Amino acid sequence: MSRGAVSPVRLVNEDEDHDGRRNEEEEEEDDVFHIPPKPSLEMLKKWRKATLALNATRRFRYVLDLKNVEPVGSDLEKNGELVSRFRTVTHAIRAVQRFKQAGKRYNQDKLNPPPDGFGIGTGQLVRLLQDQQIAALDEHGGVEAVAKHLRTDLEDGIEEDPAELEKRKEAFGVNKIPSKPGKPYLVFVWEACHDTTLIILMVCAVVSFATGMWVDGPAEGWYDGVSIAIAVLIVIIVTATSDYRQSLQFQSLNDVKKNIQIEAIRGGRRCKLSVFDVVVGDLIPLNIGDQVPADGILVSGQSLTIDESSMTGESLPVHKDSKHPFLLAGCKVDGGYGTMLVTAVGTNTEWGQVMASISEDNGEETPLQVRLNGVATFIGQIGLSVAVLVFVILFIRFFVVDFKKPENKKASRIIKSIVRIFSIAVTIVVVAVPEGLPLAVTLTLAYSMRKMMADMALVRHLAACETMGSATTICSDKTGTLTLNKMSVVKSWVAGRFMESDEEVKGITPESYNTLLVGICQNSSGDVFIPKDGTGPNISGSPTESAALAWGVRIGMNFDEIKHQTSIVHVETFSSLRKRAGVAVKLSNGEVQAHWKGAAEMILELCTGWVDIDGSVKYMSKEKDEELKNVIEGMAASSLRCIAFAYKPLDSMIIPKSEEDLERWPIPDKELNFIGVIGIKDPCRPGVQEAVRRCQMAGVKVRMVTGDSVITAKAIAQECGILTDGGIVVEGREFRNWSKDKMDAELPRLDVMARSSPTDKLLLVKSLKERNQVVAVTGDGTNDAPALHEADVGLAMNICGTEVAKESSDIVIMDDNFASIVKVVRWGRSVYANIQKFIQFQLTVNVTALVINFVTAVASGDVPLTAVQLLWVNLIMDTLGALALATEPPTDDLMEKTPVGRTEPLITNIMWRNLFGQALYQITVLLVLDFAGTSVLNLNYTGQSKNNDERSQNDEVKNTIIFNAFVFCQIFNEVNSRKPEKKNIFEGLHRNYLFVGIVLVEVIFQFVIVQFLTRFATTTALNGREWGICIAIGAVSWPLGFLIKFIPVPKKPIVNTRRIRIKWRKRSRAIGKSLSTLGSKSRRSDGAEITRSRKGSANGDQTNRRLNSELEMHTPSSAGAPRVPDV
């Protein structure tokens, strides 16, 4: 990920030798094919330099364009330069647009009067936000007058009438920014035509066509050239179609990411709606972490601060009040809360004008794509070597053997033979280079992302799909993820005693009762709406706020009446660090009270008094303190979240008079009076215990990180199955003080962290990653953003999560359900498993095709598989094979394995066994058919070949059978590759309609090519017996694959290229040091000796330079020769 993506990792012992691991990491730093968990730009550039890409256009069509991210990296100066340039461009665009509009303002107001029914026009509203001058707002009469012009009630908002909403959209526009249109289909066709090997083959086709017409005449000479051209054209069309389809899928997923759900006040109540449905005149409540959905003016707010760095470049949050009421779309709420009036939407906003002028590049390179590109490079080099060798052998053989025949001495015949030899060599390269590997990654990622949406997971970064399958630990929130997030107050202790019912609360003294209601009503960011039809109240806000407000309504709270009779002086919003929120309230009689609400035991620590049933405030003795602690612990033991209420009368003289001083004034939170405590029940989600158990079976440790008390957290963890035997529960303040030794010893057993702050969660993530764990973290609050960003996979909650948390995450869980996270793990493992299936299938074809063509070319001077035939095989491998195997749905057995190791090779020993077993069988059978096929198959045809005068009909039938049998071997082996480890390869096959359909298409096309396109594919029609032989040869792959799986394989990798590279690098460095020592000794030689033998010295210098040059050729460097990737 430009994000925290890693290649799959293994579980490691906590007491592993750290020194040994450090040495390995130092050795890996020089390895161009080692991709660290978060690859830097320098590492990616280093890899690109070491990559020989014959087909660069196809190879890199799904990877990041490094030029577009050139300044991004660890260099702070470059980062700053990029940000500075972006801001400069942004301001320049805004300035140009304002300059263009400046001369048109006067006439514009005359030519464009306000829309019918409204008192203000779009141009005036846009200029109001562009200038951001309070004087301009005053000219329009202030916020109240603008709202009146827009027919908006500043308390109830606009009417939720479809006709009214449509009229506003027509008058002021819709809240959508036109996205950059995707590339049309013909562009993908044009890009596919840039493939180097395909261009070479097209040249071969033209030359073959010309020489064929010259030698054989118009009637027969056009077949070879046109056949190759058509085959290349089919490859281009299929490639372009596949690329185009994937681009459409990713584009649709990007549209889903932009569809943010927000709250708006319409008809007096808060309602959820899409950001695209916001209209001018809407009232939008803003809370910490929200994104400002459109341009607007602040109506009311408390301690509201906005992060405007995305628009103005100002790094510090900007305070918003009546003197600075202008809000810009795209900015984030950093603190406080408030309500805004929308004045501009879509392209009329400042953000919309900037984004409409800047095209964005969503290119993303995943670690698995990088790794597979390295594998493809290595195999491509082998294929290129074989192709060159085959060309040289056939070229020499032609002039040594075939040139002796008189008919081959004609210039036309020589040119035609050389073109045929060259096209065979180029086609070998096409088949040998496994271009389908990166394509398979893209296909499986696109398929997985689409399916994960159905499983309630929106993937924001591609690499998270891969990484999530390798997660070794999940640090999960409690509220809403493990629980239903449907909170309700089930127990209360008020004014010195437990309340058996809600009605009993009304029995306390009026003074204490009213004080409690004021604390519930005003110390809340939620809202209560009473419908006019007499139905139940509509309560909005966070789950905890809603539960407290609902309890207040049940005990007789009139929300609107209290809001009107009292006024807020100052607010301190809830802090996840202090676990409480405070408000200073001015009562109707002029008195001022400070009200605090938060974690019960923390509020209790701040109290020196408590309110008794008679309304008197009594001293908080030690006995009473212990009694209240027991009350809180008793509630917590019943899995209840305990929220306490306390207050303190304030002297109005201590309250600052100026607005600036008031904003910096801390509300007194000492010597409070304890009013009561409520116990909120949030039941566990159904099925969460089973989901946790499945994770534990899959080798993924689930940890719970919550802000609740230790007792509540422990009770919930036991109910969910997270707290294991020997597991420990720790508070955040204790965890942050652990020493390194204690961290090493206790961290593996840590199951629950209670009373944790965002910094504690971040410390936990870092500590786990330092111990080689792959960490997935859930989060919903703004303060969770650092932990979400630091984690290998950040999982944000959609329902209760803030926009800041979502933007810092890799995956958004749409239903906030832990079971959906388990599905994400399952899909992540499926991605990796599908890629391995395709690698096994494709490399089998590569090995077989290379060996057969090489051996037959050396032995007989000819190859049984022609250019057109190999292009068809390449099509089966690359596109159709990738489509079939990369879209295999996940199976339950994926969750029965432990996570894949970081140092484990991409190709496992099991895959090597299957690969070599099938390849050996195919090579043996096909070579026997090539050298002794006429007698083995008992072919008794007479006459010459229809396609080649130099061949007999027996040879033509034999070569057709070889081609047909080769293709059927791949089709049958494609089914084998579905289950590399299982013996039953047909499990679930009947449910995978796409796979079955692709196999049927391959069989049908193969039948048409052999039976009807004989001149095109250089084949001849086969009879039933010969078809039966071909199918039987391919079908042997199934029982053979079954028997091969009984061969045991060691756990240690058979082929470990990484170790080979490390040893080779050490030896190269040793040689370099030796030569350096010799060179220094030589330079210290006597000057007189050098003078007497200048010629010898010159020769010696030349020798040293030659030795150094040779050493440089053999020594790896960042821009040196390609190296062998981990395969």
Side-chain angles (χ1 to χ4, degrees):
M1 341 180 191
S2 55
R3 295 279 319 142
V6 296
S7 36
V9 302
R10 62 182 174 90
L11 288 167
V12 296
N13 295 326
E14 295 292 336
D15 57 353
E16 187 177 31
D17 185 359
H18 292 286
D19 294 335
R21 187 165 65 241
R22 191 182 304 114
N23 291 335
E24 286 187 7
E25 290 171 354
E26 290 174 357
E27 290 167 345
E28 285 178 340
E29 286 180 359
D30 295 330
D31 182 2
V32 292
F33 288 108
H34 168 70
I35 306 299
K38 292 186 178 179
S40 64
L41 179 66
E42 294 303 319
M43 177 61 75
L44 293 176
K45 289 169 67 177
K46 189 177 180 184
W47 167 75
R48 289 285 176 84
K49 289 181 179 179
T51 301
L52 173 62
L54 296 172
N55 302 343
T57 305
R58 293 184 69 199
R59 175 73 57 77
F60 299 121
R61 65 185 184 274
Y62 291 118
V63 298
L64 190 64
D65 185 0
L66 297 183
K67 293 180 181 178
N68 290 346
V69 293
E70 183 69 28
V72 179
S74 58
D75 191 333
L76 295 178
E77 291 185 5
K78 289 185 177 180
N79 264 336
E81 182 185 349
L82 175 65
V83 173
S84 175
R85 282 163 51 193
F86 175 76
R87 290 171 179 164
T88 302
V89 171
T90 301
H91 289 300
I93 291 171
R94 294 171 66 191
V96 169
Q97 289 166 343
R98 292 180 184 179
F99 181 77
K100 288 180 179 179
Q101 295 168 358
K104 302 178 182 178
R105 289 187 179 179
Y106 179 76
N107 293 329
Q108 209 172 39
D109 290 342
K110 286 188 175 182
L111 295 176
N112 299 316
D116 187 26
F118 298 95
I120 191 169
T122 303
Q124 294 168 298
L125 291 171
V126 170
R127 287 198 299 274
L128 194 62
L129 267 292
Q130 285 179 343
D131 298 337
Q132 293 195 23
Q133 297 293 324
I134 194 68
L137 179 61
D138 292 338
E139 287 179 8
H140 289 285
V143 178
E144 293 79 6
V146 172
K148 187 176 180 180
H149 288 318
L150 294 174
R151 303 202 321 240
T152 300
D153 188 302
L154 289 180
E155 288 191 2
D156 295 339
I158 62 175
E159 291 298 323
E160 197 171 6
D161 177 30
E164 171 71 13
L165 297 176
E166 193 61 34
K167 185 176 181 180
R168 288 177 182 271
K169 289 180 181 179
E170 292 176 0
F172 300 103
V174 295
N175 197 29
K176 286 186 178 180
I177 300 172
S179 57
K180 182 182 177 182
K183 292 189 292 187
Y185 177 73
L186 290 179
V187 173
F188 288 97
V189 174
W190 177 247
E191 290 178 352
C193 292
H194 284 72
D195 191 312
T196 308
T197 49
L198 293 183
I199 293 173
I200 295 173
L201 283 175
M202 286 300 292
V203 173
C204 292
V206 172
V207 176
S208 179
F209 177 81
T211 54
M213 296 287 286
W214 181 15
V215 176
D216 301 323
E220 302 288 336
W222 60 274
Y223 280 111
D224 289 343
V226 172
S227 297
I228 296 175
I230 292 175
V232 171
L233 186 62
I234 291 173
V235 172
I236 289 173
I237 291 174
V238 171
T239 301
T241 303
S242 174
D243 294 352
Y244 180 63
R245 283 174 54 83
Q246 302 318 312
S247 71
L248 291 180
Q249 286 193 18
F250 288 128
Q251 190 172 348
S252 64
L253 287 170
N254 284 333
D255 292 339
V256 174
K257 294 178 189 177
K258 298 174 183 176
N259 188 11
I260 302 170
Q261 295 296 310
I262 65 168
E263 278 190 342
I265 300 175
R266 291 180 177 177
R269 67 183 184 89
R270 294 193 184 193
C271 54
K272 287 274 187 181
L273 67 152
S274 167
V275 68
F276 300 140
D277 295 330
V278 172
V279 296
V280 170
D282 260 327
L283 284 183
I284 307 294
L286 299 174
N287 289 293
I288 297 177
D290 288 349
Q291 177 174 304
V292 180
D295 284 1
I297 307 170
L298 180 66
V299 175
S300 62
Q302 293 294 334
S303 307
L304 184 66
T305 54
I306 303 292
D307 178 7
E308 294 185 345
S309 59
S310 59
M311 286 299 297
T312 65
E314 179 60 49
S315 58
L316 296 176
V318 179
H319 175 67
K320 295 296 179 180
D321 51 27
S322 57
K323 296 180 180 178
H324 307 89
F326 303 105
L327 300 168
L328 299 176
C331 300
K332 304 293 189 303
V333 180
D334 186 72
Y337 58 85
T339 304
M340 68 173 285
L341 171 67
V342 175
T343 59
V345 293
T347 52
N348 291 325
T349 64
E350 292 284 279
W351 179 253
Q353 293 174 16
V354 171
M355 296 311 294
S357 307
I358 300 175
S359 62
E360 57 181 89
D361 182 11
N362 292 325
E364 187 175 343
E365 189 168 27
T366 74
L368 194 53
Q369 282 178 325
V370 173
R371 200 172 179 187
L372 287 176
N373 274 312
V375 176
T377 298
F378 175 55
I379 299 170
Q381 291 168 352
I382 297 175
L384 179 63
S385 303
V386 173
V388 171
L389 200 56
V390 168
F391 177 80
V392 172
I393 291 171
L394 293 180
F395 188 83
I396 294 174
R397 185 181 180 92
F398 173 77
F399 284 102
V400 172
V401 179
D402 298 336
F403 191 69
K404 294 179 181 178
K405 299 177 182 179
E407 64 272 16
N408 288 336
K409 294 186 177 182
K410 296 179 181 179
S412 59
R413 182 67 70 177
I414 294 173
I415 294 174
K416 185 176 181 180
S417 298
I418 293 175
V419 169
R420 181 183 65 85
I421 293 170
F422 186 71
S423 63
I424 290 172
V426 173
T427 311
I428 288 175
V429 176
V430 173
V431 176
V433 176
E435 301 291 349
L437 292 179
L439 172 63
V441 177
T442 307
L443 283 171
T444 191
L445 287 176
Y447 173 77
S448 299
M449 287 174 69
R450 185 160 45 87
K451 292 294 184 181
M452 285 166 74
M453 272 299 296
D455 283 340
M456 295 297 166
L458 170 64
V459 178
R460 300 187 70 254
H461 298 104
L462 285 179
C465 290
E466 307 165 10
T467 313
M468 195 61 195
S470 306
T472 58
T473 183
I474 299 175
C475 299
S476 174
D477 284 340
K478 176 187 75 70
T479 305
T481 307
L482 298 171
T483 60
L484 282 172
N485 209 15
K486 294 180 179 178
M487 299 188 183
S488 60
V489 177
V490 296
K491 211 167 190 178
S492 61
W493 186 98
V494 180
R497 67 181 183 182
F498 279 107
M499 297 294 164
E500 299 298 329
S501 66
D502 295 333
E503 289 296 323
E504 194 174 342
V505 181
K506 300 177 183 179
I508 64 177
T509 61
E511 185 179 354
S512 301
Y513 178 69
N514 291 330
T515 301
L516 174 63
L517 295 185
V518 169
I520 296 171
C521 175
Q522 294 288 28
N523 194 8
S524 173
S525 59
D527 187 47
V528 178
F529 170 71
I530 307 296
K532 297 176 182 178
D533 56 7
T535 57
N538 186 348
I539 300 172
S540 61
S542 69
T544 305
E545 297 277 15
S546 298
L549 288 174
W551 180 68
V553 171
R554 295 206 307 267
I555 63 175
M557 177 184 70
N558 189 321
F559 186 84
D560 292 333
E561 183 179 331
I562 295 175
K563 283 283 187 181
H564 284 93
Q565 290 181 355
T566 62
S567 59
I568 295 176
V569 178
H570 184 50
V571 171
E572 286 192 25
T573 54
F574 178 79
S575 165
S576 56
L577 184 64
R578 298 192 300 167
K579 305 295 181 187
R580 61 180 181 269
V583 61
V585 180
K586 187 175 183 179
L587 305 180
S588 57
N589 59 8
E591 294 180 7
V592 179
Q593 292 177 344
H595 286 266
W596 286 93
K597 174 185 71 177
E601 70 273 17
M602 293 188 174
I603 293 293
L604 181 60
E605 290 177 357
L606 304 174
C607 294
T608 57
W610 61 281
V611 179
D612 202 350
I613 192 68
D614 59 2
S616 62
V617 177
K618 295 185 177 180
Y619 173 70
M620 181 73 70
S621 63
K622 289 186 178 180
E623 292 77 13
K624 195 64 182 180
D625 185 69
E626 286 297 323
E627 179 189 338
L628 287 173
K629 284 181 180 178
N630 291 332
V631 168
I632 295 169
E633 290 177 2
M635 289 185 180
S638 301
S639 303
L640 302 183
R641 170 175 286 186
C642 301
I643 304 297
F645 298 90
Y647 83 103
K648 178 182 182 178
L650 298 178
D651 184 354
S652 59
M653 298 300 294
I654 69 170
I655 300 174
K657 304 303 180 185
S658 68
E659 192 171 342
E660 291 78 8
D661 293 337
L662 186 62
E663 285 301 324
R664 295 190 294 269
W665 176 59
I667 300 175
D669 59 358
K670 306 297 183 186
E671 300 180 351
L672 304 180
N673 300 320
F674 195 90
I675 304 176
V677 58
I678 55 176
I680 300 176
K681 181 68 175 177
D682 186 12
C684 285
R685 285 184 179 273
V688 71
Q689 192 170 6
E690 173 62 19
V692 170
R693 188 187 64 81
R694 291 184 65 189
C695 277
Q696 292 168 344
M697 288 178 59
V700 181
K701 186 173 182 63
V702 181
R703 293 177 166 91
M704 188 172 80
V705 183
T706 178
D708 281 338
S709 67
V710 171
I711 299 174
T712 305
K714 189 174 182 179
I716 293 290
Q718 287 174 334
E719 189 176 346
C720 296
I722 292 176
L723 189 58
T724 58
D725 294 337
I728 60 175
V729 181
V730 66
E731 277 196 353
R733 57 187 174 187
E734 180 185 344
F735 173 77
R736 71 181 75 116
N737 294 320
W738 278 5
S739 64
K740 184 180 182 302
D741 292 337
K742 186 168 184 179
M743 192 77 76
D744 291 336
E746 301 292 347
L747 190 58
R749 298 194 299 120
L750 176 62
D751 287 341
V752 179
M753 186 190 294
R755 287 292 181 232
S756 66
S757 67
T759 54
D760 296 329
K761 182 184 282 191
L762 180 61
L763 176 61
L764 175 63
V765 172
K766 289 183 175 180
S767 301
L768 289 168
K769 289 181 68 177
E770 287 171 0
R771 287 153 183 81
N772 257 12
Q773 299 290 308
V774 177
V775 187
V777 170
T778 69
D780 51 21
T782 302
N783 291 331
D784 289 330
L788 290 169
H789 188 274
E790 178 67 26
D792 296 304
V793 181
L795 303 162
M797 301 297 108
N798 178 60
I799 298 173
C800 61
T802 64
E803 285 307 312
V804 173
K806 293 175 188 177
E807 289 195 2
S808 300
S809 68
D810 303 294
I811 298 174
V812 178
I813 305 301
M814 305 302 289
D815 60 353
D816 292 14
N817 194 343
F818 185 81
S820 299
I821 298 175
V822 180
K823 292 176 182 177
V824 172
V825 175
R826 193 165 172 257
W827 275 109
R829 294 191 176 191
S830 177
V831 169
Y832 192 75
N834 287 347
I835 296 303
Q836 287 187 313
K837 295 173 187 177
F838 180 70
I839 290 173
Q840 177 181 306
F841 168 69
Q842 187 168 50
L843 294 191
T844 304
V845 186
N846 292 136
V847 171
T848 305
L850 284 176
V851 172
I852 289 174
N853 275 4
F854 176 74
V855 172
T856 54
V858 172
S860 62
D862 200 2
V863 290
L865 302 174
T866 65
V868 174
Q869 292 170 357
L870 286 176
L871 282 172
W872 166 238
V873 172
N874 186 62
L875 199 63
I876 293 177
M877 287 193 320
D878 272 10
T879 305
L880 297 179
L883 190 61
L885 292 171
T887 55
E888 278 277 316
T891 54
D892 292 335
D893 61 298
L894 290 172
M895 297 299 289
E896 297 173 2
K897 306 173 184 177
T898 56
V900 181
R902 173 181 285 145
T903 56
E904 288 184 22
L906 192 60
I907 306 177
T908 64
N909 290 348
I910 291 174
M911 294 169 63
W912 283 120
R913 178 194 64 191
N914 298 341
L915 189 157
F916 285 128
Q918 294 289 345
L920 185 62
Y921 161 72
Q922 294 180 21
I923 291 168
T924 303
V925 171
L926 297 180
L927 286 180
V928 168
L929 290 180
D930 185 67
F931 291 111
T934 304
S935 58
V936 171
L937 299 172
N938 194 22
L939 301 178
N940 297 315
Y941 294 97
T942 58
Q944 293 297 112
S945 168
K946 297 178 182 179
N947 300 318
N948 192 337
D949 296 337
E950 300 176 4
R951 288 181 178 177
S952 64
Q953 191 175 358
N954 280 341
D955 290 337
E956 188 175 53
V957 173
K958 179 191 70 174
N959 285 348
T960 302
I961 291 175
I962 291 174
F963 165 61
N964 205 26
F966 178 64
V967 171
F968 272 98
C969 281
Q970 312 321 318
I971 292 175
F972 280 95
N973 192 41
E974 199 169 358
V975 181
N976 267 330
S977 300
R978 290 183 66 248
K979 305 289 181 182
E981 299 181 21
K982 286 193 172 183
K983 297 180 177 65
N984 182 11
I985 60 175
F986 304 108
E987 182 182 346
L989 181 62
H990 64 285
R991 293 190 297 270
N992 193 343
Y993 302 115
L994 180 61
F995 186 94
V996 174
I998 289 173
V999 170
L1000 289 176
V1001 167
E1002 291 172 349
V1003 172
I1004 292 170
F1005 271 98
Q1006 180 64 17
F1007 179 80
V1008 171
I1009 287 172
V1010 171
Q1011 294 297 110
F1012 302 107
L1013 303 180
T1014 54
R1015 293 301 299 268
F1016 168 73
T1018 320
T1019 59
T1020 186
L1022 302 179
N1023 57 35
R1025 170 181 169 272
E1026 291 158 353
W1027 271 99
I1029 292 172
C1030 296
I1031 295 174
I1033 291 172
V1036 172
S1037 297
W1038 285 352
L1040 178 65
F1042 180 81
L1043 295 174
I1044 287 173
K1045 288 171 184 175
F1046 283 99
I1047 302 174
V1049 292
K1051 292 184 178 180
K1052 186 178 180 180
I1054 298 173
V1055 180
N1056 194 335
T1057 56
R1058 175 176 166 274
R1059 292 293 181 189
I1060 296 172
R1061 286 197 312 276
I1062 291 173
K1063 291 179 181 178
W1064 173 58
R1065 190 182 302 116
K1066 286 181 178 178
R1067 291 174 183 172
S1068 299
R1069 287 172 177 170
I1071 294 172
K1073 288 181 180 178
S1074 300
L1075 289 176
S1076 177
T1077 303
L1078 291 173
S1080 62
K1081 289 181 179 179
S1082 175
R1083 283 191 295 272
R1084 288 197 299 267
S1085 300
D1086 186 76
E1089 183 66 28
I1090 295 175
T1091 304
R1092 289 195 299 269
S1093 183
R1094 289 182 179 177
K1095 184 176 180 180
S1097 177
N1099 291 338
D1101 288 342
Q1102 291 175 1
T1103 303
N1104 282 336
R1105 282 196 297 269
R1106 187 167 61 252
L1107 287 171
N1108 287 333
S1109 176
E1110 291 175 359
L1111 180 65
E1112 289 172 0
M1113 290 173 61
H1114 294 288
T1115 302
S1117 65
S1118 62
R1123 306 185 205 178
V1124 184
D1126 271 323
V1127 294

